[in-house]
Amino acid sequence: GQNIDQPTEMTATEGAIVQINCTYQTSGFNGLFWYQQHAGEAPTFLSYNVLDGLEEKGRFSSFLSRSKGYSYLLLKELQMKDSASYLCAFLDSNYQLIWGAGTKLIIKP
Amino acid sequence: GAVVSQHPSRVICKSGTSVKIECRSLDFQATTMFWYRQFPKKSLMLMATSNEGSKATYEQGVEKDKFLINHASLTLSTLTVTSAHPEDSSFYICSARDLDRGDSNEQFFGPGTRLTVL
């Protein structure tokens, strides 16, 4: 079967670093996405990993280990505007996105 | 970048009426568009995959006669909620894949449509 799991909620302090983990199980895999979603808005693309390793993009980095079925999103120098839900999703063998439930990130001053 | 628009952004209708939601790729061609539904504090639920010029593929449990999808051109897909009821109230989001980005599986999302059925 397929499943994907990420923490429901996390809290971090402005200026700090936070890592949001995502684990998944699937027989077919074509890459993993991270999206940011503010309340009442559609998701916006953050990153796409298809190979193992770390992809860095400004304050955000994403890591993938296909053998472990594991990914994380790393956010540095947190800002208040980073308060949002972060959704991980993988592409299955049919190239359909299988979504996690999202991690609500709360940033405190 | 690839931009997807949705119209309307918000709609309130009476129970029993039909509502049409448009999804447009503004600066690229999209052979495939996806329709999602999202309940409050929940993840996105794929409703159907819309392919230009052919019938949409619906996910299990989604009534195709209630949620009519038409993908008449490479830049437009429509979702019609027929005979809407209060339980159809939700946030509907479309996404599209860029035909020219052959090596990218990224989906570009529209801003969403908030449907409230009274």
Side-chain angles (χ1 to χ4, degrees), chain B residues 34-54:
Chain B
F34 304 87
W35 286 97
Y36 294 89
R37 182 174 179 178
Q38 187 175 33
F39 294 99
K41 299 182 180 180
K42 298 290 185 183
S43 190
L44 284 79
M45 181 193 79
L46 179 65
M47 299 175 65
T49 302
S50 168
N51 295 295
E52 185 264 340
S54 64

Side-chain angles (χ1 to χ4, degrees), chain A:
Chain A
Q2 297 177 323
N3 65 73
I4 183 166
D5 192 41
Q6 55 182 126
T8 304
E9 187 174 296
M10 298 182 70
T11 302
T13 305
E14 189 177 15
I17 299 173
V18 70
Q19 178 175 310
I20 303 174
N21 296 324
C22 175
T23 58
Y24 64 90
Q25 285 183 316
T26 179
S27 55
F29 178 80
N30 285 294
L32 187 136
F33 290 86
W34 283 96
Y35 284 87
Q36 181 191 61
Q37 186 178 26
H38 286 98
E41 299 180 7
T44 55
F45 171 80
L46 291 178
S47 66
Y48 172 57
N49 294 66
V50 65
L51 299 176
D52 291 348
L54 185 69
E55 298 263 351
E56 297 185 71
K57 192 184 295 184
R59 293 190 298 115
F60 293 4
S61 302
S62 57
F63 172 83
L64 176 67
S65 169
R66 289 172 296 172
S67 62
K68 295 182 179 178
Y70 168 68
S71 173
Y72 67 73
L73 180 69
L74 190 72
L75 293 80
K76 303 177 184 177
E77 302 170 16
L78 286 171
Q79 302 174 9
M80 296 304 292
K81 67 177 182 179
D82 297 330
S83 292
S85 286
Y86 292 85
L87 303 164
C88 67
F90 68 83
L91 267 177
D92 69 6
S93 54
N94 295 318
Y95 288 88
Q96 283 193 354
L97 277 174
I98 308 299
W99 293 87
T103 299
K104 183 179 180 180
L105 178 62
I106 299 169
I107 310 296
K108 294 185 175 179

Side-chain angles (χ1 to χ4, degrees), chain B residues 47-101:
Chain B
M47 299 175 65
T49 302
S50 168
N51 295 295
E52 185 264 340
S54 64
K55 291 183 178 180
T57 303
Y58 290 82
E59 295 302 300
Q60 192 172 9
V62 178
E63 299 176 60
K64 60 181 181 182
D65 294 330
K66 180 166 186 63
F67 298 99
L68 300 178
I69 291 173
N70 183 277
H71 193 158
S73 77
L74 285 172
T75 59
L76 173 65
S77 177
T78 60
L79 167 68
T80 302
V81 183
T82 62
S83 186
H85 291 282
E87 58 265 29
D88 298 325
S89 298
S90 192
F91 192 47
Y92 292 87
I93 307 172
C94 72
S95 69
R97 199 176 280 153
D98 188 340
L99 181 67
D100 289 333
R101 300 189 187 196

